[in-house]
Amino acid sequence: MSHWIAAPIILPAFVAPFIVLSARYHIGIQRVLSVFGVLALIVIAASLALDASDGTITLYQMGDWAAPFGIVLVGDKLSTMMVLLTAVLALFVLLYAIGSGWDNRGWHFHALFQFQLMGIMGAFLTGDLFNLFVFFEVLLIASYGLMIHAGGTKRLKAGVQYVLFNLIGSTLFLFALGSIYAETGTLNMADLANRVALIGADETVGIRVAAVLLLMVFAIKAALVPLHFWLPSSYAEAPAPVAALFAIMTKVGAYAIIRVYTMIFSPQLEATAGLFDVWLLPAALVSLALGMLGVLAAKKLDRLVAFAVIGSMGMVMISIALFTPAGIAAALYYIVHSTFAGAALFLISDLVRSSRANVDLTAQPVMSGNALTAGLFFVGAIAMAGLPPLSGFLGKLLILDAAYDSDLMVWIWVVVLSSSLVSILGFARAGSILFWKAHSVPAPDGTEPMPSPSPLSYVAVGGLITLLAAHTVFAGQVHGYTSTIAAQLFTPEPYISTVVETPGKLSTPKGDH
Amino acid sequence: MSLFFIVALPFFGALLPGLMNSAGRAATAGVTFTVSLAAFLGLLTNLPSVLAGEVVVARVDWMPLLGLNFSLMLDGLGFFFALLILGIGLLIIAYARHYLSRDDNMGQFFTYLLLFQGAMVGIVLSDNILLLLVFWELTSLSSFLLIGYWKHLPEGRQGARMALTVTGMGGLAMIGGMLILGQIVGSYDLSVILQQRDLIQADPMYVPALILILLGCFTKSAQFPFHFWLPHAMAAPTPVSAYLHSATMVKAGIFLMARMWPVLSGTPEWVMIVTSAGLITMVLGAVIGLFKHDLKALLAFSTVSHLGLITMLLGTGTAFGAMAAMFHILNHATFKAALFMSAGIIDHEAHTRDIRRLGGLRKLMPVTFVIASLAALSMAGIPLLNGFLSKEMMLEEAHHTVLFDTPWLVPGLATFGALFSAAYCFRLIGHVFFGPVRDDYPAKPHDPGAGLWLPPAILVSLVVLIGVAPFVAEPFVKLVTASVLGTAAEVPDAHFKIWHGFTPALYMSIIATIGGLVVLALFKPALRLWDAAPRPEAKVIFDAIVAAAVGLARKLILPLHNGAFTRYAAIGSVVIVAVGYHAWTTGTVAPQTRDMLPAGPVPIAGWLMLVVATIGLVFMHRNRFLSLILIGIVGLMVSVGFVFFSAPDLAMTQFTVEVVTIILLLLALNFLPNQTPIESSALRRARDIGVAVIGGLAAFGLSYHFMLRDAVATPISEFHLANSYKGGGGTNVVNVILVDFRGFDTYGEIIVLGIAALLIYALTETLLDGPVRARLLNRKPTHRRAGDEHPMMMVVLTRGIMPVVLMVGFYIFLRGHNDPGGGFIAGLIVSIAVVMQYMASGFGWASARLKYPYHGVIGAGVLIAGLTGIGAWFFGKPFLTSAFTYVRIPPFYKFELATAALFDLGVFLAVVGAVMLSLESFSRLARQATSGPSNEHPMDIDPSRDEDPQETSEKEAV
């Protein structure tokens, strides 16, 4: 049997303890192991995505126990795409961490990085809600470790808020899981889909509360306003490569919402109808507006990017909240875009920090490496603000197009377009102050110029920008693929039957329930 | 040449100037010129097809599902604009080569310029309105870069941002309009859309689409009330002003109106909006332009005015108006670009563009004088120059246009505008070139080299050629007009002539010219009036709006995100409860299926203790030590609760976890003050109490609901109960679930534990590197320290108990599979055994006697668990598949060997390592604080030692 589907979780789960066990004093060895681990992940993820691209659903029964009794991993188009996205992002982030020396400014960067990858991969691949909780814990604790990497008062303070808010989320997750188990007696997603359909119209209250509590958990992860408060300061204060890796973390929330609400708590189902369509879309619109206003309001570049991430999650959530195949397809296209764009901007913000000592949006003398950094910022800002020709614009078109038939079409269009304007204003302001106005500020005498960022740092950022360009050029192919993903999500029967009907140890198809 | 190449050449060519920058200015300009020339020639190769009335197309799918495709088409209109863009582009490149100074980064300049050129060609060749949008915004972006090219000038930066904001806003509106248009028609292809006039104009969404698209056009083409950005864009180098902001980019909006003319025009809304906007812009631009002293500002406002003129012509919705508009685009592009270049020459040579400081240049710069005067006279509409012809046509069209049921309104205003237009042209000639030669120019003006004057001269020769022989341009303009009109109207058969007889247009023209001369004669008093009149300054208003937007955003965002965690949590909790409540109220409640259990005295006693401890905690939480004890009680009662519900495994786990956490918390308390100070106001505490009560009630309600009801189907735990021995080889279901059924969860959780320990370690390390270290070193203990830090009794007791506890741990570990116990609990027990040694004799002494680094123990634990899982692969089974067998080694009784035990060993090691590493980290902080060397002896008082400990400490003190 093939074990590849488990490899994205197991590989980093071996690399990390191995680093802790034998290489914790040798940064060089750690780097080599970490980079090779991520390279291998990319290869594995690519082959998994290729396997899934024809609609195959790969099932992996942990411990040979059949669902719903044991834990299963499921690889379909959506999960393998997210795995691949994570692996690719991780490579460039890792290169930047090495190039900038961030990984050597505290302890256990690479081990935590690998554990973090394990958690993210697990969250994408698991077919079991409790196991999802476990992976949320893994990625939460690892991300906390990464967030406070290298210390500093502000960072530690932000880290405490980050971990506390997410612990609220974890507690809520347990409440949701308890409710779901009490109501249905299972935690496997596919089995859950079958059992939720059994719930009669006269006893819906339990599953309804459970469904929204779960949604709130994911909404916290996805930084949906007003559950986003943990994000701005923690992303801004986190070391740049960590913040860049976190670009995928908000997407874990979005992924989970897509997964759970297309398969289990579908709005088409009587028991779960009218639950979140009432407020999810408005909340997403507020997220977008608030995020882009934050871009305009920010006094520091790193917070500006953090707010842009909130705004872009708003875009994703708007598109998800439409809950149509076109909406999901657009959301997935946008997820890829916003992951790379957000990561690139965090790294660019760090390029600025490392060449002028701070990221305040005030005029200061020209920084070292100004022209190149400015160019990268310009491209990254174009992408994030959704200006042509980059993928942000195409994603925006897709979302607007998908929203045309929505009841709230006017609201969506007005908010999306006007928040774009606000973000253009914000990014233009920031870029003009950072890179142009600097030319009118003379350098004080006798100060040594800061060293330019290392070439490897630029390679990493350039790589992300190149990915954005590729995401634009091959937009047709990518969007075509995300459309087939959406189609697969909206016909969950093959997924469900694969999971539930495959026999395992001591159980025959369809079980004994 | 394929249309793709024509569009792609400038884009790919844009890389070259940047790369060639170090090869010298001539090479950089040369390569740019070559790229443009290649595109220009490529365009010309399509001339025969265009002249034959064919439409050249090229198409590649980009996003077919969306309808955004890379499809290009070349018809008369597209060819006309592409010709202007590439042709004038060539002249501009030649001009800029000589205009830019040695300090300017020429490679950057030409890179931006080519990017713009490509985008602009893309707009006019697009056959897909979404693709057109892409190029449209690209021109805004490249214009932003070009206006801000002189980065050190604040005008440049501000002008760039203003232009980007205004045109960006229009572009966003246009996105909306184009999408609506596409949704109406069902295609985003222009060639399809242009056939659907009736469908579009009948649709209820026509007006929103029209307004949104026109917003895009008006902002781009600087129509009132969005005209204000264009004069500020003049901070750009003059070649940019000549190219983008007079000849090409600002005509993009007009191009689009012409492109969409067949389907959008002709309705009352169109005529109303477009004609009046054009008319106002024309008059306003002309009047303001007259009073500008900066040459480029004057030209900028004249551009605004002429763009208004063209817009007005398109707005009338007649075929003749469209033809006049096309003709004027051509004429305006020639004379205005020439004028800008002349202004650039003057600036370049005289080092000023202020008309008040110029005058008398006629003699000093004769060549420039001829060029500029011819162009200006053409702009003023003097016969035998091309401006006259199209202005006549404009006046003719205005004469027939009625707006707001007032026949004199349009012709009157048009004449008024033309009058001022003539006036500023005369002023330009009169005040710059005529008059006495002055001796206070900032620099000695003289004619420049041919590199600077030849490009405008070429344009002016066109001005004269068309002006003298209009029939040369007629077929071409009619061809262009035909492709503007499409199937919507016939090309008018009027001929381009200098003399039409005594028509109303001629009278209007004469009035305008003479009036212009009169106004110039009265310029000084008029200027005084103008300066005295209050006028809104667009830039001030714009800056105020932007500042207000930023201020508002800051007011909204910053206080909300100021790091007040309790508020974040309060908002979050309330939202969660509210959403849950909403879900509750919209659902249906089933009757309960379970009866209440009778409560005996024991559970009630336990419940009371729990409640009392919790309430006590609420009231006494400021005393940290006391609250720790209360937390201990809560934990204990939870453990008892597990026992009561027949879950001994959980009880044991909970109990050992309690012990370990309390020890770790005690260590942490060591660094905290005894009391938590009151930091928040009573009001805020009331809020927090409210939120907490609401959350608690919600949790209670939810739990209560579920406790009284069964699951909808048999819970999966039934399977676990039935199969734990058969399939997992253990009779302790909890343990089999942990290591087998759901071993993968456990695998994840031990990793969580391990990460937590690594994290604590890393945190300690960074803390000790930072300011915390100094704080610890200077820390004064609040309590008197015990005289006997390592009491003998405790040392003796823990040493003796150690092997016993280890044995218990071992026993618990082994029995786990069948009876309560297992690796997790065993790990905690063993940790407690070791922790006791540390407590008794201090960390330094104990860790010196420990061989294994805790990092390694964690790593090994996780690896062993993982390797056990992988072991199954060699038997063709999935990760973590367990196997077990029963063996009998005489004389022992038969016993079980299970791979699950190996996995449990990994769990055990990870737990031990994690607990010990956390402890070590705390102790490092503690040792930093006491700052003394770690003790070398297990206890302070040891009768067997000769040395008196009292003396030792005195020695240390010295």
Side-chain angles (χ1 to χ4, degrees):
Chain A
M1 75 173 298
S2 161
H3 305 287
W4 286 118
I5 192 74
I9 304 170
I10 294 173
L11 180 68
F14 270 90
V15 173
F18 187 75
I19 288 175
V20 173
L21 182 63
S22 60
R24 62 183 176 277
Y25 297 114
H26 310 284
I27 190 73
I29 301 177
Q30 290 178 23
R31 286 174 173 174
V32 170
L33 283 172
S34 209
V35 169
F36 274 97
V38 171
L39 284 175
L41 268 185
I42 293 179
V43 173
I44 293 166
S47 72
L48 287 176
L50 196 65
D51 281 350
S53 61
D54 60 355
T56 310
I57 288 162
T58 314
L59 181 73
Y60 192 79
Q61 298 170 325
M62 282 290 164
D64 207 18
W65 296 106
F69 313 113
I71 295 163
V72 292
L73 303 182
V74 190
D76 67 347
K77 287 183 182 177
L78 176 61
S79 51
T80 53
M81 183 194 95
M82 297 305 290
V83 166
L84 182 60
L85 176 65
T86 311
V88 172
L89 174 73
L91 177 67
F92 292 98
V93 170
L94 190 59
L95 289 180
Y96 186 88
I98 294 171
S100 61
W102 264 111
D103 60 344
N104 207 14
R105 287 178 207 168
W107 273 83
H108 293 313
F109 180 87
H110 290 285
L112 291 171
F113 189 85
Q114 294 290 330
F115 276 134
Q116 168 89 58
L117 287 183
M118 176 211 170
I120 297 172
M121 299 296 191
F124 287 140
L125 286 172
T126 187
D128 187 281
L129 276 185
F130 190 82
N131 197 233
L132 182 66
F133 170 76
V134 171
F135 281 115
F136 268 34
E137 291 303 291
V138 173
L139 65 84
L140 171 62
I141 193 87
S143 65
Y144 178 50
L146 286 171
M147 221 221 95
I148 58 175
H149 178 74
T153 313
K154 277 180 165 178
R155 187 170 294 150
L156 292 177
K157 182 168 181 258
V160 169
Q161 299 203 343
Y162 169 75
V163 83
L164 280 180
F165 206 96
N166 277 285
L167 283 176
I168 294 178
S170 296
T171 314
L172 190 64
F173 205 159
L174 286 178
F175 268 101
L177 289 177
S179 308
I180 288 171
Y181 190 75
E183 185 70 32
T184 63
T186 190
L187 288 168
N188 178 282
M189 297 187 203
D191 194 36
L192 203 52
N194 284 337
R195 292 192 185 197
V196 168
L198 296 178
I199 295 173
D202 56 344
E203 47 176 359
T204 59
V205 71
I207 199 66
R208 290 175 76 82
V209 174
V212 291
L213 290 187
L214 196 59
L215 184 73
M216 297 317 273
V217 175
F218 300 148
I220 291 177
K221 277 274 177 286
L224 187 73
V225 174
L227 301 174
H228 68 289
F229 286 106
W230 58 273
L231 192 143
S233 57
S234 56
Y235 276 39
E237 297 298 340
V242 174
L245 182 68
F246 284 7
I248 194 77
M249 293 253 291
T250 42
K251 274 64 176 190
V252 175
Y255 161 85
I257 291 176
I258 295 176
R259 171 69 78 204
V260 169
Y261 294 87
T262 50
M263 189 159 73
I264 307 172
F265 305 120
S266 152
Q268 275 82 34
L269 219 57
E270 196 186 349
T272 48
L275 261 188
F276 47 84
D277 30 359
V278 196
W279 47 263
L280 187 59
L281 191 53
L285 289 171
V286 174
S287 297
L288 175 58
L290 184 139
M292 293 315 175
L293 278 176
V295 167
L296 187 61
K299 291 178 173 172
K300 288 180 163 203
L301 185 56
D302 47 13
R303 286 185 76 91
L304 182 149
V305 181
F307 276 107
V309 166
I310 293 178
S312 77
M313 281 314 291
M315 283 287 273
V316 170
M317 295 308 298
I318 288 170
S319 198
I320 292 175
L322 294 172
F323 233 84
T324 57
I328 299 284
L332 292 173
Y333 181 84
Y334 201 85
I335 280 176
V336 177
H337 153 77
S338 106
T339 304
F340 290 143
L345 277 174
F346 274 120
L347 297 185
I348 291 164
S349 153
D350 194 56
L351 289 178
V352 172
R353 189 197 308 272
S354 65
S355 23
R356 59 171 236 182
N358 63 53
V359 286
D360 296 347
L361 294 178
T362 52
Q364 289 167 31
V366 180
M367 66 189 90
S368 45
N370 187 56
L372 192 50
T373 309
L376 291 170
F377 177 81
F378 186 65
V379 178
I382 287 176
M384 198 43 126
L387 283 172
L390 289 176
S391 42
F393 175 72
L394 302 178
K396 186 157 67 189
L397 284 186
L398 286 173
I399 291 171
L400 292 175
D401 188 60
Y404 193 75
D405 298 323
S406 162
D407 297 333
L408 294 176
M409 175 262 189
V410 175
W411 283 100
I412 297 175
W413 280 36
V414 167
V415 173
V416 168
L417 292 175
S418 48
S419 66
S420 293
L421 180 66
V422 174
S423 73
I424 292 172
L425 207 59
F427 276 109
R429 238 177 81 83
S432 162
I433 291 173
L434 283 175
F435 302 108
W436 284 358
K437 205 169 180 181
H439 287 275
S440 56
V441 180
D445 293 331
T447 45
E448 285 285 309
M450 304 276 290
S452 283
S454 76
L456 187 57
S457 304
Y458 280 117
V459 166
V461 181
L464 286 172
I465 299 284
T466 311
L467 286 171
L468 277 176
H471 193 49
T472 309
V473 173
F474 299 106
Q477 285 83 345
V478 177
H479 178 235
Y481 191 65
T482 60
S483 299
T484 66
I485 295 178
Q488 193 181 41
L489 288 170
F490 277 84
T491 47
E493 292 77 22
Y495 180 109
I496 294 173
S497 59
T498 307
V499 172
V500 178
E501 290 170 17
T502 308
K505 200 195 268 187
L506 296 183
S507 60
T508 45
K510 279 283 170 194
D512 45 7
H513 60 269
Chain B
M1 190 190 281
S2 161
L3 299 184
F4 289 129
F5 283 111
I6 300 174
V7 176
L9 258 174
F11 280 116
F12 288 110
L15 295 171
L16 294 174
L19 294 174
M20 297 285 287
N21 209 8
S22 50
R25 292 151 53 81
T28 311
V31 74
T32 312
F33 191 84
T34 314
V35 169
S36 261
L37 186 66
F40 183 72
L41 294 177
L43 181 73
L44 288 185
T45 57
N46 289 298
L47 182 60
S49 321
V50 173
L51 287 181
E54 293 170 23
V55 176
V56 186
V57 292
R59 182 189 167 92
V60 170
D61 278 354
W62 188 9
M63 297 187 77
L65 290 175
L66 177 65
L68 164 56
N69 290 313
F70 213 97
S71 48
L72 302 174
M73 72 162 175
L74 183 69
D75 62 353
L77 180 64
F79 184 85
F80 171 46
F81 270 87
L83 197 70
L84 280 181
I85 295 157
L86 293 169
I88 295 183
L90 284 172
L91 299 178
I92 292 289
I93 291 165
Y95 178 83
R97 151 80 183 88
H98 300 277
Y99 180 84
L100 290 180
S101 80
R102 292 195 176 275
D103 299 334
D104 297 325
N105 185 339
M106 189 181 263
Q108 206 176 45
F109 182 83
F110 280 128
T111 293
Y112 296 163
L113 201 74
L114 281 179
L115 277 179
F116 164 77
Q117 194 178 60
M120 198 62 215
V121 173
I123 290 182
V124 300
L125 295 191
S126 290
D127 184 23
N128 184 294
I129 50 176
L130 297 182
L131 182 69
L132 189 145
L133 279 175
V134 171
F135 289 123
W136 185 274
E137 297 281 39
L138 272 179
T139 58
S140 294
L141 287 170
S142 45
S143 151
F144 172 75
L145 291 173
L146 283 167
I147 300 172
Y149 174 73
W150 281 324
K151 304 173 182 65
H152 53 280
L153 296 181
E155 299 82 21
R157 296 194 299 268
Q158 288 158 10
R161 266 157 55 192
M162 186 194 278
L164 183 69
T165 307
V166 176
T167 56
M169 180 185 74
L172 289 165
M174 213 168 81
I175 292 177
M178 292 298 198
L179 282 173
I180 295 175
L181 203 60
Q183 294 280 354
I184 294 173
V185 177
S187 165
Y188 292 113
D189 283 343
L190 261 176
S191 38
V192 179
I193 292 172
L194 291 183
Q195 307 301 320
Q196 303 289 343
R197 180 188 175 96
D198 298 335
L199 179 72
I200 292 169
Q201 298 196 349
D203 199 278
M205 294 297 274
Y206 162 74
V207 176
L210 176 71
I211 291 173
L212 290 171
I213 292 174
L214 285 180
L215 264 178
C217 296
F218 285 1
T219 50
K220 198 78 160 181
S221 288
Q223 294 302 295
F224 178 83
F226 307 109
H227 61 284
F228 56 88
W229 69 266
L230 186 57
H232 291 284
M234 294 299 139
T238 301
V240 175
S241 309
Y243 192 31
L244 274 71
H245 304 124
S246 81
T248 55
M249 188 184 91
V250 290
K251 299 230 171 73
I254 286 168
F255 165 81
L256 194 67
M257 285 190 266
R259 196 31 117 201
M260 292 289 176
W261 196 89
V263 288
L264 294 184
S265 75
T267 59
E269 293 90 357
W270 167 279
V271 175
M272 246 285 291
I273 300 172
V274 180
T275 312
S276 44
L279 208 55
I280 295 172
T281 314
M282 182 172 111
V283 174
L284 201 67
V287 174
I288 300 176
L290 176 65
F291 297 106
K292 287 289 166 188
H293 303 304
D294 179 359
L295 258 183
K296 277 178 79 177
L298 186 152
L299 290 177
F301 277 104
S302 85
T303 304
V304 169
S305 168
H306 280 264
L307 291 169
L309 188 161
I310 300 170
T311 303
M312 184 202 80
L313 286 172
L314 286 169
T316 59
T318 66
F320 184 79
M323 185 166 77
M326 290 305 112
F327 192 31
H328 196 68
I329 289 170
L330 173 66
N331 297 337
H332 178 252
T334 51
F335 63 66
K336 186 53 66 64
L339 275 173
F340 264 111
M341 291 197 229
S342 308
I345 292 173
I346 292 166
D347 188 19
H348 201 257
E349 303 304 333
H351 290 199
T352 182
R353 306 193 302 246
D354 192 331
I355 298 177
R356 290 167 301 184
R357 303 190 63 187
L358 295 166
L361 294 185
R362 176 171 49 100
K363 297 197 178 99
L364 298 172
M365 304 174 77
V367 179
T368 315
F369 164 63
V370 173
I371 294 170
S373 302
L374 282 173
L377 289 173
S378 172
M379 180 155 78
I382 302 301
L384 296 182
L385 296 168
N386 62 1
F388 170 73
L389 300 163
S390 44
K391 200 174 76 176
E392 288 286 284
M393 288 165 78
M394 180 273 286
L395 292 171
E396 173 72 25
E397 177 69 12
H399 174 62
H400 296 294
T401 306
V402 178
L403 209 59
F404 302 113
D405 296 326
T406 319
W408 57 264
L409 184 69
V410 178
L413 282 176
T415 315
F416 185 71
L419 188 153
F420 271 87
S421 178
Y424 63 65
C425 293
F426 297 146
R427 179 177 177 224
L428 195 157
I429 301 169
H431 289 186
V432 173
F433 292 102
F434 286 88
V437 175
R438 303 165 64 145
D439 49 10
D440 60 347
Y441 304 115
K444 182 85 183 131
H446 56 83
D447 267 324
L452 282 180
W453 65 254
L454 198 56
I458 294 173
L459 288 171
V460 165
S461 59
L462 278 173
V463 167
V464 177
L465 175 70
I466 298 173
V468 175
F471 52 85
V472 184
E474 183 179 324
F476 184 66
V477 171
K478 285 198 167 167
L479 180 81
V480 174
T481 310
S483 61
V484 170
L485 302 179
T487 52
E490 290 291 313
V491 179
D493 55 0
H495 289 290
F496 294 8
K497 287 187 295 195
I498 299 171
W499 181 251
H500 286 276
F502 292 100
T503 57
L506 185 68
Y507 295 127
M508 288 153 85
S509 195
I510 292 169
I511 293 171
T513 312
I514 295 173
L517 286 170
V518 172
V519 169
L520 186 64
L522 300 173
F523 182 73
K524 277 196 177 149
L527 181 65
R528 272 199 297 278
L529 272 178
W530 176 259
D531 284 341
R535 296 184 302 277
E537 177 56 50
K539 183 167 187 311
V540 175
I541 297 171
F542 177 84
D543 287 348
I545 291 174
V546 171
V550 174
L552 185 69
R554 290 202 165 144
K555 275 212 186 76
L556 276 174
I557 300 295
L558 299 184
L560 198 59
H561 299 84
N562 62 352
F565 180 76
T566 47
R567 185 174 62 234
Y568 297 173
I571 294 176
S573 309
V574 169
V575 165
I576 288 164
V577 173
V579 167
Y581 183 74
H582 168 257
W584 178 277
T585 49
T586 50
T588 50
V589 185
Q592 66 182 68
T593 55
R594 290 180 185 171
D595 294 328
M596 296 289 282
L597 291 176
V602 177
I604 288 180
W607 180 80
L608 275 178
M609 284 180 75
L610 200 58
V611 170
V612 169
T614 313
I615 292 175
L617 193 56
V618 168
F619 286 101
M620 292 178 227
H621 74 276
R622 297 199 186 279
N623 183 335
R624 290 185 161 136
F625 185 67
L626 199 59
S627 57
L628 193 59
I629 293 174
L630 290 169
I631 289 174
I633 295 176
V634 171
L636 198 65
M637 291 329 292
V638 171
S639 312
V640 172
F642 286 140
V643 174
F644 180 73
F645 289 117
S646 323
D649 281 274
L650 296 187
M652 285 172 80
T653 314
Q654 180 71 31
F655 193 76
T656 39
V657 165
E658 281 297 323
V659 173
V660 172
T661 14
I662 295 287
I663 292 175
L664 291 180
L665 278 174
L666 271 174
L667 287 172
L669 272 193
N670 198 20
F671 301 102
L672 295 173
N674 292 335
Q675 298 282 333
T676 312
I678 299 174
E679 285 175 359
S680 40
S681 64
L683 200 66
R684 180 161 301 171
R685 272 178 289 155
R687 176 199 74 181
D688 292 347
I689 290 171
V691 172
V693 168
I694 291 171
L697 285 176
F700 162 76
L702 193 65
S703 316
Y704 189 73
H705 171 83
F706 284 121
M707 277 190 278
L708 294 180
R709 284 162 187 84
D710 288 306
V712 68
T714 323
I716 54 171
S717 54
E718 298 296 323
F719 177 88
H720 296 148
L721 285 169
N723 292 300
S724 89
Y725 186 69
K726 214 179 348 161
T731 50
N732 177 3
V733 184
V734 173
N735 184 266
V736 176
I737 289 177
L738 282 177
V739 299
D740 200 341
F741 288 122
R742 301 190 66 98
F744 197 52
D745 280 342
T746 312
Y747 185 55
E749 289 296 353
I750 60 170
I751 286 176
V752 170
L753 202 58
I755 299 171
L758 295 183
L759 194 158
I760 294 173
Y761 177 80
L763 192 56
T764 313
E765 287 292 316
T766 43
L767 279 181
L768 288 179
D769 282 347
V772 176
R773 180 193 174 93
R775 285 230 303 275
L776 283 174
L777 285 174
N778 293 323
R779 186 167 169 269
K780 297 270 181 295
T782 45
H783 292 288
R784 203 166 54 80
R785 302 193 77 81
D788 188 8
E789 276 190 62
H790 306 296
M792 183 167 62
M793 284 301 288
M794 188 155 171
V795 173
V796 173
L797 197 66
T798 49
R799 281 309 172 277
I801 222 169
M802 169 99 176
V804 180
V805 179
L806 287 184
M807 201 60 206
V808 170
F810 186 59
Y811 169 69
I812 294 275
F813 175 80
L814 280 186
R815 79 198 284 257
H817 215 42
N818 293 311
D819 296 295
F824 196 88
I825 304 171
L828 289 171
I829 291 175
V830 169
S831 305
I832 293 170
V834 184
V835 168
M836 287 195 301
Q837 310 306 315
Y838 286 81
M839 286 164 72
S841 299
F843 199 90
W845 182 86
S847 60
R849 279 150 189 82
L850 200 88
K851 283 186 215 155
Y852 308 104
Y854 301 124
H855 280 102
V857 177
I858 298 174
V862 174
L863 279 179
I864 287 176
L867 286 171
T868 311
I870 284 189
W873 289 359
F874 298 100
F875 301 93
K877 292 288 181 187
F879 192 67
L880 285 176
T881 304
S882 66
F884 57 92
T885 181
Y886 295 91
V887 291
R888 181 164 189 268
I889 308 171
F892 298 110
Y893 188 69
K894 181 178 83 165
F895 64 95
E896 183 191 355
L897 278 181
T899 56
L902 212 54
F903 180 76
D904 226 7
L905 178 66
V907 175
F908 170 82
L909 287 176
V911 170
V912 173
V915 174
M916 297 316 297
L917 188 60
S918 319
L919 183 76
E920 185 193 3
S921 306
F922 279 122
S923 100
R924 284 170 60 82
L925 289 177
R927 273 183 288 161
Q928 198 63 246
T930 51
S931 77
S934 57
N935 52 323
E936 62 178 295
H937 299 299
M939 48 191 136
D940 297 340
I941 305 166
D942 187 347
S944 65
R945 273 207 308 273
D946 300 336
E947 209 174 2
D948 181 13
Q950 206 65 32
E951 285 174 25
T952 322
S953 54
E954 271 168 20
K955 261 184 234 162
E956 276 169 13
V958 174

